[in-house]
């Protein structure tokens, strides 16, 4: 059932009301930053979390997930950098195209689902947040997250499938957010991925940041590759293009790199092997949760569509293993927590699980290259 907020609409909804109207969205579809929100008052994250919980009071509580400590006696004298990767499920696709046959439409209502998404972000407090399938950037994520201290960047797909849905909220795309008090932006690149020399509908954002605490540079990238069976070679070509771009940006791995994304590819696919074997010396952080450190999780997405049940590992956080350590990673939801109707649900807002890792810099990265 829908939970009315009664008279407590104050902070969250006044925050949204002060931000861009839907008519303003169309003027900014080309992406990037929105200077107006910077002038709005900061929001205390505890206040925003409280407002979300009021909206969600008739829903089941959030699932408990624990961080797994992965440090191998590594000593670091700086705060770890927490990175969150998440395909949040575009609202237009969830309601209009994805056909989650076991998920009630009531569970997908944006006014509540956005609070579930915000609650998840506020619970883990990432320093850097990488999202895919963002179609409420201008009216929700940019205005709220900028007031929480994040610098915000958005790059929409050129031909977003969201635009085929009636009463859509504009195109979906990738979004990247980082805390301005922890990092300084050195360089930002919006990349439209190519395949077989043709421009495609998939995009990436790559930003070079300087860590204010250590003075170290690193590059953070977010992407979302082409979906569906039968497009394996296409994804492979997109991956090659992204890797080439990142080689140039990181000067051939001189700058440490973290890549977050929904690759729409199982570990058996060619694009996964390209990233594993790249000269950028990348490793997949979530492999470290396995007993041997060599196996990806059994799933990062789990849903039921008319064609049947879909349980896949598609989402990854890649990192420069010579320059960065993974201190910890957030455990995944269990099958029991997910439940027989799978995702999304009243408990969980997306068909993809969020991935969260804490990184620290190696003291002597060059020695390991």
């Amino acid at each position: 059932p829908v939970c009315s907020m009664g008279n407590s609409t104050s902070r969250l909804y006044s925050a949204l009301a002060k931000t861009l109207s839907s008519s303003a969205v169309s003027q900014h579809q080309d992406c990037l930053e929105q200077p107006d929100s910077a002038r709005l008052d900061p929001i205390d994250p505890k206040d925003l979390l409280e407002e979300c919980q009021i909206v969600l009071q008739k829903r089941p509580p959030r699932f408990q997930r624990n961080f797994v400590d992965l440090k191998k006696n590594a000593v670091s004298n700086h705060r770890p950098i927490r990175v969150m990767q998440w395909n949040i499920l575009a609202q237009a696709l969830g309601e209009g195209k994805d056909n989650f046959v076991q998920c009630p439409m009531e569970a997908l209502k944006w006014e509540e689902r956005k609070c579930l998404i915000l609650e998840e972000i506020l619970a883990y407090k990432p320093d850097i947040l990488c999202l895919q399938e963002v179609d409420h950037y201008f009216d929700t994520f940019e205005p709220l997250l900028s007031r929480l201290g994040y610098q915000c960047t958005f790059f929409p797909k050129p031909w977003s499938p969201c635009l085929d849905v009636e009463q859509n909220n504009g195109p979906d795309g990738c979004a990247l957010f980082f805390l301005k008090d922890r990092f300084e932006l050195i360089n930002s690149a919006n990349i439209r991925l190519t395949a077989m020399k043709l421009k495609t509908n998939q995009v990436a954002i790559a930003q070079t940041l300087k860590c204010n605490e250590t003075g170290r540079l690193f590059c953070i990238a977010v992407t979302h590759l082409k979906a569906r069976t039968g497009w394996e070679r296409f994804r492979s070509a997109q991956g090659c293009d992204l890797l080439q771009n990142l080689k140039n940006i990181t000067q051939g791995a001189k700058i440490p790199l973290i890549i977050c994304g929904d690759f729409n590819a199982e570990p058996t696919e060619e694009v996964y092997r390209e990233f594993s074997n790249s000269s950028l010396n990348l490793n997949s952080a979530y492999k470290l949760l396995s007993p041997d450190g060599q196996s990806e999780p059994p799933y990062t997405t789990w849903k039921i569509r008319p064609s049947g049940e879909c349980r896949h590992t598609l989402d990854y956080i890649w990192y420069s293993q010579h320059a960065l350590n993974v201190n910890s990673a957030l455990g995944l939801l269990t099958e029991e927590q997910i439940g027989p109707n799978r995702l999304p649900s009243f408990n969980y807002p997306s068909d993809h699980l969020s991935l969260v890792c804490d990184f620290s810099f190696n003291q002597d990265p060059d020695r390991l290259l």
Side-chain angles (χ1 to χ4, degrees):
V2 178
C3 163
S4 165
M5 286 190 68
N7 294 323
S8 59
T9 56
S10 52
R11 290 183 291 273
L12 176 61
Y13 283 83
S14 63
L16 291 174
K18 286 178 189 169
T19 57
L20 298 172
S21 67
S22 57
S23 61
V25 173
S26 58
Q27 298 168 26
H28 296 282
Q29 296 299 22
D30 282 345
C31 46
L32 283 188
E33 288 136 50
Q34 199 49 262
D36 295 346
S37 325
R39 291 196 286 272
L40 294 169
D41 295 336
I43 303 173
D44 185 324
K46 289 179 184 168
D47 287 345
L48 184 55
L49 184 57
E50 190 181 298
E51 288 293 337
C52 288
Q53 287 167 347
I54 290 167
V55 176
L56 298 170
Q57 60 190 339
K58 292 190 180 175
R59 289 203 180 208
R62 279 184 70 256
F63 293 123
Q64 181 64 38
R65 297 169 67 186
N66 297 316
F67 280 89
V68 180
D69 189 350
L70 298 168
K71 286 196 291 289
K72 296 173 184 167
N73 303 317
V75 178
S76 176
N77 52 11
H78 68 86
R79 278 187 298 159
I81 296 168
R82 177 163 290 182
V83 177
M84 184 174 190
Q85 147 62 28
W86 199 12
N87 177 333
I88 60 170
L89 174 61
Q91 184 62 21
L93 301 183
E95 284 191 306
K97 281 203 161 195
D98 277 340
N99 294 318
F100 301 119
V101 291
Q102 298 294 101
C103 177
M105 285 302 286
E106 194 80 11
L108 295 171
K109 287 193 170 181
W110 179 242
E111 291 306 305
E112 293 180 22
R113 199 171 76 84
K114 74 179 170 192
C115 291
L116 274 180
I117 294 169
L118 289 166
E119 187 183 44
E120 182 96 344
I121 294 166
L122 291 162
Y124 299 122
K125 303 175 186 159
D127 300 303
I128 300 170
L129 173 63
C130 295
L131 301 180
Q132 299 87 37
E133 290 200 24
V134 179
D135 62 347
H136 275 270
Y137 176 80
F138 291 107
D139 66 0
T140 302
F141 294 104
E142 192 277 339
L144 286 174
L145 291 174
S146 66
R147 296 174 66 191
L148 291 169
Y150 290 90
Q151 184 151 331
C152 312
T153 305
F154 176 60
F155 194 23
K157 292 176 185 168
W159 316 294
S160 166
C162 292
L163 298 176
D164 298 335
V165 178
E166 276 188 50
Q167 298 181 313
N168 66 75
N169 202 63
D172 76 300
C174 292
L176 200 162
F177 309 85
F178 66 84
L179 286 176
K180 291 185 285 189
D181 66 353
R182 289 215 64 187
F183 311 106
E184 177 189 346
L185 179 63
I186 303 300
N187 181 55
S188 185
N190 287 344
I191 303 163
R192 185 170 169 193
L193 298 175
T194 62
M196 299 88 168
K197 300 191 176 175
L198 297 172
K199 287 186 184 296
T200 73
N201 193 33
Q202 279 64 47
V203 300
I205 304 167
Q207 296 190 332
T208 304
L209 305 180
K210 183 166 90 171
C211 176
N212 293 336
E213 194 176 334
T214 63
R216 298 276 294 268
L217 292 180
F218 67 100
C219 177
I220 178 78
V222 55
T223 195
H224 187 185
L225 301 188
K226 173 70 182 154
R228 305 211 191 290
T229 305
W231 292 85
E232 292 80 6
R233 286 185 60 202
F234 196 82
R235 280 190 286 276
S236 173
Q238 288 183 326
C240 285
D241 182 48
L242 179 57
L243 285 168
Q244 189 55 55
N245 274 280
L246 293 173
K247 280 174 193 171
N248 296 337
I249 290 168
T250 62
Q251 301 161 34
K254 284 184 184 168
I255 298 172
L257 175 62
I258 300 169
I259 308 160
C260 294
D262 174 356
F263 279 62
N264 275 307
E266 290 272 11
T268 51
E269 269 198 39
E270 182 64 33
V271 68
Y272 183 93
R273 290 193 289 277
E274 286 162 5
F275 274 71
S276 294
N277 301 326
S278 162
S279 61
L280 292 170
N281 195 22
L282 301 171
N283 194 19
S284 172
Y286 264 72
K287 278 167 53 175
L288 302 179
L289 287 180
S290 66
D292 62 357
Q294 299 300 312
S295 308
E296 291 290 351
Y299 51 84
T300 63
T301 179
W302 201 341
K303 56 203 151 196
I304 301 174
R305 285 181 162 147
S307 55
E309 197 156 340
C310 309
R311 177 180 178 268
H312 298 294
T313 300
L314 307 178
D315 307 89
Y316 306 95
I317 300 178
W318 297 91
Y319 69 101
S320 302
Q321 57 188 337
H322 62 284
L324 296 164
N325 294 310
V326 184
N327 296 2
S328 61
L330 182 65
L332 299 171
L333 292 178
T334 64
E335 179 176 358
E336 186 180 25
Q337 285 174 312
I338 289 171
N341 294 333
R342 309 315 184 198
L343 304 174
S345 65
F346 281 111
N347 300 72
Y348 196 80
S350 177
D351 54 326
H352 288 252
L353 299 177
S354 62
L355 308 182
V356 187
C357 291
D358 289 338
F359 290 96
S360 59
F361 291 105
N362 276 336
Q363 300 308 307
D364 186 12
D366 296 334
R367 182 175 58 80
L368 300 167
L369 256 179

